[in-house]
Amino acid sequence: MSTSPADYLGALAGIVQFTTWIYLVLLALAVISYFALPGVRTRTAWLLFLSLGFYGLIEPKRTAVLLVMTGIAYGAGLLIGRGDRADDDPDATLTLRQAALGGTVVLLVAGLALFKYAAQLSAGGVALLGGFGDGMAAILSALIMPVGMSFWTFQTIAYVVDVYRGDTKPERNPFLFLLAVSFFPVVTSGPITKVQALTEQLRVRHRFDYAQMNSGLLLIGRGFFKKLIVADRLAPFVNSVYSSPRSHSASTDGLLLFVASVFFAIQLYMDFSGYTDIVRGSARLFGVELPINFRAPYFARSVRDFWRRWHITLMNWLRDYVYIPLGGSRVGSARRYFNLLVVFAVSGLWHGTGWQYLAWGLLNGFYMVAGGLLEPVNTKVTSILRIDRDSLAHRVFQTTLTFTLVTIAWVFFRAQTLGDALYIVARMFSPTLWIFNNGTLLKQGLGATEIAIAVIGTAVVFLAEWLSLRHDMLGAVRRQPLLYRWALYYALIFVVLVFGAYGGAYNAANFLYFKY
């Protein structure tokens, strides 16, 4: 049986992922060749070739979508930037710039919505038009959203809005602009990085820096630990429970739903923050610094504090391009709370197409509104009861309550339907402690050893994050004597190789956020 080129491409797309040894080998070759090239232009061309090649292996049939969307944003930036010309009529220029901005944003958002909601639009067309909608349904059903489209669509929207606002000048080099959007560490799942922040770094001739290489490799190692030791190990348990939550009797296994939900909260964080560590470390090897996307979110003491620490680049985007244009906090309380609900509704719709995603977004918005409304009450109660807000007990209480609220919201994010989410939330706090000794806990795809490794790995990560809130942990490692430093490096490699979850049900190549 012959093997077609498409089969080879499919095989490569499956292995050229961030947690495979092939990726590490190709990354090392890319870095060596990058610094071996003489000038900025050749390095830019080489990085662009690598980035498009990388994305082409992942999405061979939909790379054109990335090129078209990037071309629209690039052309719009140039058109909007014409307002800097002194000989243009101001009124006509303003009208042109406004039309270019509005048209571009509509095109980019419509493109994202078309791919993201193609299945729903297809079903709706058939329902409304009957047989006449079959042709439209066939076209829409063939539209599969390219990997990373949600991220680079937001990135390009931010660029054209920033050019319109005068916050940045239009980028005139089309190849550099395309590289900023398609740069292989960020093209799949962010972090959402401003185009101008990347072009400024990519047009500079970087010199080989050992300290920078060292810190980049440490970030990659930390990401591998989070992903392979914890996230991929918890995945089978979470998948087993959430694939059929109604098969677990609330009278006997209600707490199992709670354990699975807590495991998912941990899995999602380790998966996404692990991915972010790997891509930030990869970019740093080329001398490019990407923004921090997480800052110990599960140590947050309120939901508002949590969203300052979780997926920071997305929340910054929503603040700058949705919340502030709606009036932000400069309006009355009622309007401000409405703005918050809109922001989190947009976040829910951005993440997924089911009603459960919208419910997840609105629930987080409700948390934010409730927190604002109850703040005076909270202040008065703590004052009457003479509670020291900085005491350890109060901090632990706030952190535990915040984690519980966030975990409840994550149920809607993970459940397959809104009905499943409501079923789980209604039963996950049932006091069925016997699941720990009747064997139910160990029938979800993980044995006691596997669960113990995941729990220990989680504890290690959280301890390191708690310390990092007070100290520069990566910097502290780099300042250690050579012998201790390399002993730690080899220990990290050994732990990941021995205790990491590879293949089979774990499917370590797939990151959760690749589908958003």
Side-chain angles (χ1 to χ4, degrees):
M1 182 177 178
S2 62
T3 304
S4 68
D7 294 329
Y8 285 116
L9 286 175
L12 283 173
I15 60 178
V16 184
Q17 298 290 346
F18 294 105
T19 52
T20 63
W21 65 268
I22 296 244
Y23 171 76
L24 293 178
V25 171
L26 294 178
L27 178 64
L29 294 174
V31 171
I32 293 170
S33 58
Y34 175 79
F35 283 102
L37 293 171
V40 175
R41 289 186 178 181
T42 53
R43 289 182 176 185
T44 299
W46 176 236
L47 269 185
L48 180 58
F49 172 77
L50 290 176
S51 297
L52 292 178
F54 179 82
Y55 193 78
L57 288 175
I58 298 174
E59 289 286 18
K61 298 180 180 179
R62 287 176 284 277
T63 303
V65 178
L66 171 65
L67 297 177
V68 170
M69 299 283 273
T70 303
I72 290 172
Y74 172 76
L78 294 179
L79 190 59
I80 294 171
R82 286 186 58 189
D84 295 334
R85 291 174 50 177
D87 56 340
D88 286 340
D89 177 66
D91 293 334
T93 299
L94 178 62
T95 301
L96 175 65
R97 295 175 73 244
Q98 290 174 335
L101 173 66
T104 303
V105 171
V106 168
L107 277 175
L108 295 175
V109 171
L112 175 61
L114 181 63
F115 279 93
K116 186 177 281 288
Y117 292 93
Q120 285 76 8
L121 292 172
S122 173
V126 172
L128 287 174
L129 303 176
F132 294 102
D134 291 341
M136 182 183 72
I139 296 173
L140 290 173
S141 62
L143 296 178
I144 301 174
M145 191 174 78
V147 169
M149 187 176 185
S150 295
F151 293 88
W152 35 265
T153 298
F154 271 23
Q155 183 186 29
T156 49
I157 289 174
Y159 166 75
V160 295
V161 172
D162 286 348
V163 172
Y164 178 82
R165 291 174 175 174
D167 295 336
T168 186
K169 293 187 178 297
E171 176 56 54
R172 302 192 179 280
N173 185 330
F175 302 105
L176 192 61
F177 184 87
L178 178 57
L179 174 58
V181 177
S182 65
F183 188 39
F184 74 89
V186 301
V187 71
T188 52
S189 294
I192 302 172
T193 311
K194 286 184 177 291
V195 169
Q196 54 271 31
L198 284 173
T199 55
E200 288 173 4
Q201 297 184 73
L202 292 168
R203 60 166 38 99
V204 175
R205 189 176 187 275
H206 300 283
R207 297 185 180 278
F208 183 88
D209 187 315
Y210 174 79
Q212 194 172 54
M213 292 287 164
N214 188 272
S215 64
L217 291 173
L218 274 175
L219 269 177
I220 292 173
R222 188 172 74 179
F224 269 62
F225 185 94
K226 290 178 179 178
K227 171 67 174 170
L228 298 176
I229 300 293
V230 182
D232 286 344
R233 180 159 272 102
L234 293 177
F237 189 102
V238 175
N239 293 341
S240 173
V241 176
Y242 269 81
S243 63
S244 55
R246 298 172 191 270
S247 66
H248 305 286
S249 171
S251 62
T252 58
D253 299 334
L255 192 58
L256 182 66
L257 300 174
F258 177 80
V259 173
S261 300
V262 171
F263 279 4
F264 174 68
I266 296 171
Q267 177 203 0
L268 180 64
Y269 173 62
M270 297 296 181
D271 188 281
F272 195 20
S273 68
Y275 157 84
T276 303
D277 286 342
I278 293 171
V279 299
R280 289 187 67 232
S282 300
R284 189 173 290 179
L285 298 181
F286 294 92
V288 176
E289 196 64 33
L290 299 178
I292 294 173
N293 218 16
F294 296 90
R295 190 175 286 109
Y298 288 146
F299 286 95
R301 295 170 61 181
S302 68
V303 174
R304 181 182 297 274
D305 185 26
F306 174 83
W307 284 110
R308 292 191 185 112
R309 298 163 175 256
W310 178 280
H311 207 167
I312 296 171
T313 57
L314 173 62
M315 297 313 297
N316 287 345
W317 192 97
L318 292 170
R319 178 199 63 201
D320 294 341
Y321 304 104
V322 179
Y323 183 68
I324 291 178
L326 287 174
S329 57
R330 302 185 306 275
V331 295
S333 297
R335 178 62 184 274
R336 175 161 50 89
Y337 293 142
F338 172 76
N339 293 344
L340 282 172
L341 290 174
V342 170
V343 164
F344 281 95
V346 171
S347 177
L349 294 172
W350 180 82
H351 277 92
T353 59
W355 286 108
Q356 67 272 27
Y357 287 103
L358 181 59
W360 167 77
L362 290 175
L363 179 57
N364 279 286
F366 170 77
Y367 286 160
M368 298 285 281
V369 172
L373 292 173
L374 295 176
E375 178 59 29
V377 178
N378 183 33
T379 302
K380 192 173 185 66
V381 169
T382 54
S383 175
I384 293 173
L385 298 179
R386 297 182 179 179
I387 296 174
D388 181 3
R389 289 193 172 194
D390 292 324
S391 66
L392 176 61
H394 191 61
R395 294 202 306 268
V396 170
F397 169 76
Q398 287 181 310
T399 301
T400 303
L401 177 60
T402 300
F403 179 78
T404 302
L405 292 174
V406 169
T407 298
I408 292 172
W410 285 139
V411 171
F412 292 87
F413 193 87
R414 177 58 180 83
Q416 299 183 63
T417 65
L418 180 59
D420 282 352
L422 294 172
Y423 178 89
I424 293 170
V425 169
R427 291 160 176 79
M428 62 189 286
F429 293 101
S430 300
T432 53
L433 296 177
W434 48 82
I435 68 163
F436 295 104
N437 57 27
N438 69 358
T440 303
L441 192 68
L442 303 180
K443 296 177 181 178
Q444 311 305 322
L446 291 184
T449 302
E450 299 291 320
I451 293 176
I453 292 173
V455 170
I456 293 171
T458 301
V460 169
V461 172
F462 283 178
L463 175 61
E465 289 193 344
W466 181 76
L467 293 172
S468 70
L469 294 175
R470 294 157 178 79
H471 309 283
D472 177 11
M473 296 302 295
L474 292 180
V477 170
R478 295 197 303 271
R479 289 191 295 271
Q480 297 304 309
L482 183 66
L483 177 62
Y484 297 137
R485 213 165 54 234
W486 280 97
L488 178 62
Y489 298 159
Y490 281 118
L492 178 60
I493 294 171
F494 176 80
V495 168
V496 170
L497 288 177
V498 173
F499 296 102
Y502 302 95
Y506 301 113
N507 200 6
N510 292 330
F511 283 89
L512 294 178
Y513 257 72
F514 274 17
K515 65 180 181 179
Y516 298 124

